[in-house]
């Protein structure tokens, strides 16, 4: 087996490899790397080949910290490797560590699509990874099998969910596919949804760049539920290969009696099936659900607070609960890692740290243009 840095000429082969992975791993597609590059990350794709065929790989995202004194390395929904294959795992990880160390990375964060089991945790521990308290991708979700007939998929839902879908149809709610002109409306509903949940929202530029990079490749679609000309709910869905996921969603705090969210998700499921997808990931339910299942405990039928309302809504559509191992870190510099960990504790996520770096870079670039002394090495973004 050999590991090599992939070039743009390898993009088609790489995407075919990613699309064939048994889990939804769009964040490993080269279009996702292009999207993150527009936000001043660097994407490096590493492939492990055996007999000229890709058998493992990883898209490593590198983010220079303020003043370029160090960086962080991140592999979202990866690496893509059979962790039980010691040779492939070792070959890939050695190449990833080489790339990360050359970029002066403080640590390497990975979020493999690896089921949460004692055996999986032992495999990660054996490779020097430690659990991280900062997870970007959902650890727990529900995956719906789209291979049966639509009537069977519908029958596998709860009675109340089926009733809500029918109510939405009777009430005159309609679902249409959107385009770039609908992004401002989509963003407004996202903002309102995040505000209700008490969560920070991303910038409009983030979603616009994501749409620009992925929609052109057919990997992102926007759906809007409307009533009497008003948009009540939105869903931005991603697809890759035979898998789909509900990436982003939002709704108004009014008109719940019309049941637009139930009808919207049902139409998204139907659309994904029509595109040839075999699975649909509802993309995120409370981690507590996975923790309870991993301990063999019963999931409460009525629980309030946090994201439990989201869980009860999504559970009504059927499907299988999945629970991943979550984010794990490999530390290259323990003193700097402790400093980074303290900074992340204040900011709350790696994305916020990256946004802080971008703002600092823009400010320094502005002062440099105005003749104010600054760091000449800071790249303009």
């Amino acid at each position: 087996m050999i590991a090599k840095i992939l070039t743009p000429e390898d993009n088609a082969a790489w995407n075919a490899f990613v699309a064939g992975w048994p889990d939804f791993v769009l964040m490993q597609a080269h279009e996702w790397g292009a999207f993150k590059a527009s936000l001043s990350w660097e994407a490096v794709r590493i492939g492990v080949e055996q007999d000229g065929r890709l058998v493992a790989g990883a898209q490593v995202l590198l983010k220079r910290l303020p003043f370029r004194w160090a960086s962080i390395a991140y592999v979202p929904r990866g690496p893509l490797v059979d962790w039980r294959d010691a040779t492939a795992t070792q070959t890939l990880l050695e190449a990833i560590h080489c790339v990360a160390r050359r970029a002066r990375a403080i640590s390497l964060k990975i979020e493999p699509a690896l089921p949460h089991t004692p055996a999986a945790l032992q495999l990660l521990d054996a490779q020097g990874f430690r659990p991280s308290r900062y997870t970007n991708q959902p650890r727990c979700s529900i995956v719906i099998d789209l291979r049966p007939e639509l009537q069977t998929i519908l029958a596998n839902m709860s009675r109340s969910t089926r009733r809500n879908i029918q109510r939405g149809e009777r009430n005159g709610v309609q679902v249409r596919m959107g385009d770039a002109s609908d992004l401002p409306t989509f963003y407004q509903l996202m903002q309102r949804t995040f505000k209700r949940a008490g969560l920070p929202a991303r910038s409009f530029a983030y979603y616009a760049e994501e749409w620009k990079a992925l929609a052109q490749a057919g990997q992102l679609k926007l759906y809007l539920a409307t009533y009497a000309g008003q948009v009540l709910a939105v869903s931005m869905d991603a697809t890759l290969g035979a898998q789909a996921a509900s990436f982003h969603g939002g709704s108004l705090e009014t008109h719940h009696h019309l049941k637009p969210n139930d009808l919207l998700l049902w139409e998204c499921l139907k659309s994904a099936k029509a595109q040839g997808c075999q699975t649909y990931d509802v993309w995120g339910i409370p981690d507590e659900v996975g923790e309870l299942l991993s301990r063999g405990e019963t999931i409460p039928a009525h629980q309030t607070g946090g994201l439990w309302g989201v869980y009860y809504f999504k559970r009504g559509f059927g499907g299988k609960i999945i629970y991943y191992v979550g984010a794990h870190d490999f530390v290259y510099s323990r003193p700097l890692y402790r400093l980074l960990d303290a900074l992340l504790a204040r900011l709350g996520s790696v994305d916020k740290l990256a946004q802080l770096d971008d703002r600092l870079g823009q400010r320094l670039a502005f002062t440099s243009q105005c003749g104010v002394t600054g760091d000449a090495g800071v790249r303009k973004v």
Side-chain angles (χ1 to χ4, degrees), residues 68-196:
R68 299 178 66 84
W69 58 280
S71 69
I72 51 178
Y74 174 40
V75 184
R77 275 292 188 264
L80 305 183
V81 65
D82 181 351
W83 290 83
R84 298 165 300 181
D85 186 332
T87 302
T89 300
Q90 196 63 32
T91 302
L92 178 58
L93 290 179
E94 286 178 358
I96 294 174
H97 290 322
C98 181
V99 167
R101 287 191 170 101
R102 285 181 181 175
R104 300 196 300 275
I106 295 172
S107 61
L108 165 70
K109 183 182 295 295
I110 65 172
E111 288 183 297
L114 196 58
H116 185 282
T117 64
L121 295 173
Q122 289 175 6
L123 287 171
L124 291 170
D125 181 70
Q127 293 294 339
F129 287 94
R130 54 189 290 180
S132 171
R133 53 177 170 169
Y134 301 107
T135 296
N136 292 328
Q137 311 303 327
R139 289 187 65 187
C140 194
S141 190
I142 300 174
V143 175
I144 300 170
D145 187 355
L146 297 180
R147 290 172 297 180
E149 296 296 325
L150 286 175
Q151 288 304 314
T152 302
I153 297 174
L154 193 63
N156 289 335
M157 299 180 188
S158 70
R159 181 180 301 177
S160 60
T161 297
R162 293 196 302 270
R163 187 166 55 245
N164 289 340
I165 291 172
Q166 294 168 355
R167 187 179 301 173
E169 293 173 332
R170 287 198 307 269
N171 287 333
V173 176
Q174 297 182 336
V175 176
R176 67 174 176 86
M177 189 174 293
D179 55 31
S181 66
D182 294 300
L183 289 180
T185 300
F186 159 81
Y187 184 64
Q188 289 173 8
L189 266 66
M190 288 290 295
Q191 281 186 308
R192 295 172 71 156
T193 301
F194 273 82
K195 185 177 180 179
R196 290 199 305 273

Side-chain angles (χ1 to χ4, degrees), residues 203-223:
S203 68
F204 177 78
Y206 177 93
Y207 295 109
E209 289 294 338
E210 184 180 41
W211 179 265
K212 179 181 177 181
L214 303 181
Q216 291 182 354
Q219 296 171 348
L220 211 58
K221 289 182 171 59
L222 178 60
Y223 301 90

Side-chain angles (χ1 to χ4, degrees), residues 305-345:
L307 295 175
W308 280 97
V310 173
Y311 164 67
Y312 293 127
F313 168 74
K314 294 180 176 180
R315 181 190 63 179
F317 288 84
K320 178 183 178 181
I321 296 174
I322 56 173
Y323 185 44
Y324 293 127
V325 292
H328 280 67
D329 293 341
F330 187 98
V331 179
Y332 300 114
S333 171
R334 293 193 179 279
L336 292 180
Y337 181 78
R338 286 194 290 268
L339 178 63
L340 178 63
D341 194 59
L343 184 57
L344 286 173

Side-chain angles (χ1 to χ4, degrees), residues 52-80:
R53 181 176 61 90
L54 279 170
V55 295
Q59 177 164 252
V60 185
L61 302 178
L62 301 167
K63 180 68 175 179
R64 298 288 183 178
L65 296 178
F67 309 109
R68 299 178 66 84
W69 58 280
S71 69
I72 51 178
Y74 174 40
V75 184
R77 275 292 188 264
L80 305 183

